[in-house]
Amino acid sequence: MQPKAAEIIAIFSAALFPLGLIFLKKGYDHSTPLYGTAVVTAMNAAVLWAMAFLFSPVHLSFSSAALFFVIGGFIGHGLARYLQFIGLHHIGAARNTTLIASSALFGVIIAVLFRGEQLTIPIALGAIAVVAGVVLLAHESRKTKWNAAYLLFPLAAALLYAIMSNLYKEGLDIIPDAILGGAIGLTAAFFTMLLFIIPEVRKNKLPPMPVVKKALPLFAIAGAINTVGIILNFQALKLGQVSVVHP
């Protein structure tokens, strides 16, 4: 029952992330990818910690297994998310989401090689279909005005997301709590974002606050949607294999 439940939860999680990206894209009209990423990440961490203190064994956040969530949050929900939002800004939500889906291929390869998970024919075909989509998008760029080099941002994010999922799965095998794992990971991600945003603040490169305030409601909606997606994603990883859940 657990594998099928993991697949269903993963599908709902996957449906929420593109929806959140639409609101983020609208918010970028009044702000920047950097600021939007930081706001959404901070909101994710705050909500998850509030839930963790109510429902999770918070003392486990000091165990050595928490390091998997810390590293995963740093490279995934921190660095990868920033790269993803830059791609969203340059090539739009539809193309960006398609390329982020290539994370499925990376995730399966990592899970099979390093976690010993089984590669089935449906999973392999799904990964091939994702690669075909990337090739078609690269070909499309020749007929339009956007630069194919911008594809590198979501592709790099996809690889980092795949590594993140495998690290999170390792952590969840030891600390099987989706909310606590998400809280730790998103906290690490927020501090990662500070590494990018503090230099921008010092250089006064962020938009004026009156302009940013127009984006905050959109970022808040995106953050709420994204938080639910993250919780579902962690729960799916807890119940199922990376090679099944991540694609």
Side-chain angles (χ1 to χ4, degrees):
M1 290 297 291
Q2 281 195 345
K4 183 169 290 187
E7 293 173 18
I8 295 172
I9 295 172
I11 289 172
F12 279 106
S13 173
L16 287 174
F17 289 125
L19 180 60
L21 286 176
I22 292 173
F23 287 97
L24 272 173
K25 179 66 174 175
K26 293 181 180 296
Y28 290 162
D29 293 337
H30 309 288
S31 185
T32 65
L34 179 60
Y35 188 83
T37 305
V39 170
V40 171
T41 304
M43 182 176 178
N44 293 155
V47 172
L48 286 167
W49 274 118
M51 295 178 65
F53 277 108
L54 290 174
F55 306 113
S56 302
V58 179
H59 66 279
L60 293 179
S61 60
F62 297 101
S63 69
S64 58
L67 188 61
F68 287 111
F69 299 124
V70 172
I71 299 174
F74 172 78
I75 66 173
H77 287 117
L79 181 56
R81 180 181 282 187
Y82 179 51
L83 294 173
Q84 176 185 358
F85 291 165
I86 291 177
L88 171 67
H89 184 63
H90 286 294
I91 65 176
R95 299 186 186 98
N96 195 67
T97 300
T98 300
L99 288 171
I100 289 296
S102 66
S103 181
L105 174 63
F106 299 130
V108 168
I109 292 173
I110 294 171
V112 171
L113 292 180
F114 296 99
R115 288 185 48 81
E117 294 188 4
Q118 184 178 4
L119 178 63
T120 63
I121 294 177
I123 293 174
L125 291 176
I128 293 172
V130 169
V131 174
V134 173
V135 173
L136 288 174
L137 277 177
H139 179 71
E140 179 196 350
S141 70
R142 300 176 184 178
K143 304 177 182 179
T144 56
K145 295 181 180 180
W146 56 277
N147 191 334
Y150 291 136
L151 299 178
L152 293 176
F153 289 107
L155 282 175
L159 174 59
L160 293 176
Y161 276 133
I163 297 172
M164 174 199 73
S165 290
N166 280 273
L167 288 171
Y168 281 165
K169 177 59 177 175
E170 289 290 332
L172 288 167
D173 285 345
I174 304 171
I175 305 177
D177 190 292
I179 294 175
L180 181 61
I184 298 171
L186 270 295
T187 300
F190 176 68
F191 283 105
T192 303
M193 293 312 308
L194 289 182
L195 298 177
F196 297 110
I197 202 169
I198 289 175
E200 298 296 312
V201 172
R202 290 177 177 175
K203 296 176 183 177
N204 294 319
K205 287 188 176 182
L206 292 179
M209 188 53 66
V211 177
V212 170
K213 285 182 178 179
K214 296 180 180 179
L216 288 179
L218 294 167
F219 290 155
I221 295 173
I225 295 171
N226 198 263
T227 300
V228 177
I230 288 170
I231 294 173
L232 292 177
N233 182 254
F234 269 82
Q235 187 65 23
L237 281 172
K238 185 179 86 169
L239 297 175
Q241 293 185 339
V242 177
S243 55
V244 174
V245 171
H246 194 70

